[in-house]
């Protein structure tokens, strides 16, 4: 088991650009009512830094670990989704929703289907159903179905992220804790977006949404570092 101190020493310096970019976003706090390419760049910059964080481990690392590659691709779709959501009042909200739906599919694929953890899946299914039930009276038109599909996808991603989580014992890995925590924060961020957009104004919604979102993406990116599926194992699993 890798100690948290070792993790901080090895991965912390690679995350410095991400933390700086996140600080820039919150310090500038550009008004969301006036979208521009500058505000788009500032919002996406922390995600760009997470691209660099994964690339800093070497292109060979990504090529040798399919799960890490899928998380990288998910981050690419996230950046595109962020850009669309900057312009959501101009009619691009659905585009952003679709980009993040693809992101969750890549993340779920990266986390894999082993162990299955049916109890965790049942818990996530119940929580997802409760979230949709909370949102349903506020939805209309196509959003009734689009939000339902999105909730199912992010719930599935959360299940796969938390399926391998072990908080004690010899098999404990900090990357699994990062994946599970990241998925939970992503769900909190997106639920806040949905409540604020469709149901009622959430106090300090933007600060809550973006702080949990950036933390979620960082933790998901960190979960790729100690990749759980080297390419040799990946090929063997496909062969079997």
């Amino acid at each position: 088991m890798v100690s948290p101190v070792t993790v901080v020493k090895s991965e912390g310096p690679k995350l410095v650009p991400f933390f700086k970019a996140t600080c820039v976003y919150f310090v500038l706090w550009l008004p969301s009512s006036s979208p521009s390419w500058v505000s788009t760049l500032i919002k996406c910059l922390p995600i760009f830094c997470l691209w660099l964080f994964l690339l800093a481990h070497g292109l060979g690392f990504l090529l040798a670990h399919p799960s890490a590659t899928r998380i990288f691709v998910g981050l690419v779709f996230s950046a595109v989704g962020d850009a669309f959501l900057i312009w959501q009042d101009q009619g691009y909200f659905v585009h952003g929703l679709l980009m993040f739906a693809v992101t969750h599919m890549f993340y779920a694929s990266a986390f894999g289907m082993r162990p299955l953890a049916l109890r965790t899946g049942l818990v996530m299914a119940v929580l997802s159903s409760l979230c949709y039930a909370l949102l349903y009276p506020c939805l209309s038109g196509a959003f009734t179905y689009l939000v339902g599909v999105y909730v199912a996808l992010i719930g599935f991603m959360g299940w796969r992220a938390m399926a391998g989580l072990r908080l004690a014992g010899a098999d404990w890995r900090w990357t699994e804790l990062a994946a599970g925590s990241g998925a939970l924060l992503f769900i909190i961020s997106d639920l806040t977006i949905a409540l604020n957009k469709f149901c009622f104004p959430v106090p300090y919604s933007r600060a809550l949404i973006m702080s949990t979102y950036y933390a979620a993406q960082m933790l998901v990116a960190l979960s790729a570092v100690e990749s759980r599926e080297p390419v040799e194992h990946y090929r063997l699993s496909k062969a079997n």
Side-chain angles (χ1 to χ4, degrees), residues 12-225:
K14 300 185 188 75
L15 284 170
V16 169
F18 165 79
F19 288 122
K20 288 183 176 179
T22 303
C23 288
V24 167
Y25 173 83
F26 284 105
V27 169
L28 292 180
W29 201 246
L30 298 176
S32 56
S33 58
S34 304
S36 67
W37 290 111
V38 173
S39 59
T40 302
L41 175 62
I42 296 300
K43 184 183 181 184
C44 294
L45 194 57
I47 306 303
F48 295 159
C49 291
L50 291 177
W51 297 1
L52 297 177
F53 168 75
L54 290 179
L55 290 172
H57 292 84
L59 187 58
F61 170 80
L62 291 178
L63 294 176
H65 297 84
S67 58
T69 303
R70 291 166 190 162
I71 287 176
F72 180 84
V73 174
L75 287 168
V76 172
F77 277 98
S78 292
V80 177
D82 281 332
F84 278 131
L85 291 181
I86 283 284
W87 306 88
Q88 61 178 291
D89 291 338
Q90 284 69 38
Y92 290 97
F93 180 80
V94 172
H95 299 72
L97 188 73
L98 293 175
M99 291 300 101
F100 278 106
V102 174
T103 293
H104 296 315
M105 287 190 284
F106 273 104
Y107 286 173
S109 177
F111 298 141
M113 291 301 296
R114 292 179 296 180
L116 194 57
L118 289 176
R119 289 183 180 178
T120 304
L122 179 60
V123 170
M124 290 306 302
V126 171
L127 291 176
S128 297
S129 299
L130 290 174
C131 288
Y132 185 63
L134 176 64
L135 296 170
Y136 183 79
C138 310
L139 302 173
S140 61
F143 283 116
T144 304
Y145 310 102
L146 290 173
V147 172
V149 172
Y150 187 87
V151 168
L153 284 174
I154 196 171
F156 179 76
M157 184 275 291
W159 169 32
R160 298 323 310 153
M162 297 178 192
L165 184 59
R166 293 177 293 273
L167 298 178
D171 294 331
W172 183 88
R173 292 200 298 180
W174 67 267
T175 46
E176 292 168 348
L177 179 59
S181 301
L184 180 60
L185 287 172
F186 221 132
I187 291 170
I188 292 172
S189 178
D190 282 359
L191 179 60
T192 306
I193 290 175
L195 289 172
N196 190 66
K197 183 173 182 64
F198 298 113
C199 298
F200 52 82
V202 177
Y204 308 106
S205 59
R206 186 178 169 194
L208 177 59
I209 290 165
M210 297 310 299
S211 59
T212 51
Y213 169 69
Y214 285 141
Q217 294 283 38
M218 180 194 70
L219 289 167
V220 170
L222 271 171
S223 75
V225 171

